[in-house]
Amino acid sequence: MIRPRFRTPRVGPALALALTAALGTVLALGLRQPAPPPDSAAARGTPAPAPALAGATLDGGRFDLADARGQVVLVNVFASWCGPCRDELPLLVDADRRWSPQGLRLVGLNVRDGADAVRALLEQTGAQGLTVLPDPDGTRAVDWGVRGVPETFLVDRDGRIVDRQRGVVTGQWLEQRVAPLLAR
């Protein structure tokens, strides 16, 4: 008995690549979410109590957000491997120098980084005096609801988050958000 031979069609490398690219594009478009707008607790009219933030600092000291009551605190979440973080640090340090006499306190929450890399970043950006809490596994950042770096939280004198900026802060953002809190 002679059996008919059926040939299995071969998928060429070009067709396989095209199918993979098409599938990747469909998945990327389907999973992509629009960037969230800057979140403002103040805009919602409900400042939220800031999560606990305490522990050993990069320089061996201690920091506890609860001890900063009565001050306006900027909590900046950053990493040495983040280019935009590197770009915004000098602006934040300048704001701290400018407004610390009126009660501003700048604190860095450093995520998923090594101490040497952070120290190098601080030196390169003129931020050696910054209080930095290491968060090597990112758990503190998760407690704060961080979605990425950089992200900055504005905590009022009563310990409530009244504003937050996802992404790089600007001089305009600082003027509009920080200055009015310090004037109160």
Side-chain angles (χ1 to χ4, degrees):
M1 177 189 281
I2 300 176
R3 293 188 183 173
R5 275 189 128 174
F6 292 101
R7 291 180 47 167
T8 335
R10 294 186 134 203
V11 177
L15 183 57
L17 180 60
L19 289 172
T20 302
L23 180 61
T25 301
V26 168
L27 285 174
L29 290 173
L31 297 176
R32 187 180 69 182
Q33 297 176 352
D39 188 12
S40 171
R44 293 189 310 264
T46 55
L53 186 60
T57 61
L58 185 65
D59 64 4
R62 297 228 15 106
F63 175 81
D64 190 338
L65 184 61
D67 294 339
R69 287 280 169 103
Q71 294 180 306
V72 173
V73 182
L74 272 177
V75 177
N76 178 251
V77 184
F78 74 101
S80 69
W81 41 265
C82 164
C85 300
R86 181 178 300 273
D87 294 341
E88 80 175 352
L89 263 177
L91 177 66
L92 291 167
V93 169
D94 286 345
D96 184 48
R97 285 186 190 124
R98 175 180 170 196
W99 286 319
S100 64
Q102 288 95 17
L104 179 66
R105 178 81 190 266
L106 174 62
V107 177
L109 180 59
N110 176 252
V111 294
R112 300 187 181 273
D113 230 333
D116 291 340
V118 178
R119 285 186 185 99
L121 171 67
L122 297 178
E123 187 168 328
Q124 291 165 3
T125 58
Q128 296 94 326
L130 178 63
T131 299
V132 176
L133 286 166
D135 188 12
D137 59 3
T139 55
R140 289 178 174 164
V142 169
D143 291 344
W144 278 70
V146 171
R147 290 188 174 177
V149 291
E151 194 160 333
T152 303
F153 297 83
L154 182 58
V155 180
D156 71 6
R157 295 179 192 274
D158 295 321
R160 300 172 302 177
I161 297 175
V162 294
D163 216 326
R164 112 195 264 171
Q165 174 65 32
R166 292 185 176 120
V168 177
V169 297
T170 63
Q172 181 181 5
W173 186 89
L174 292 167
E175 285 289 338
Q176 291 174 347
R177 301 324 196 279
V178 176
L181 280 179
L182 293 170
R184 294 182 194 159

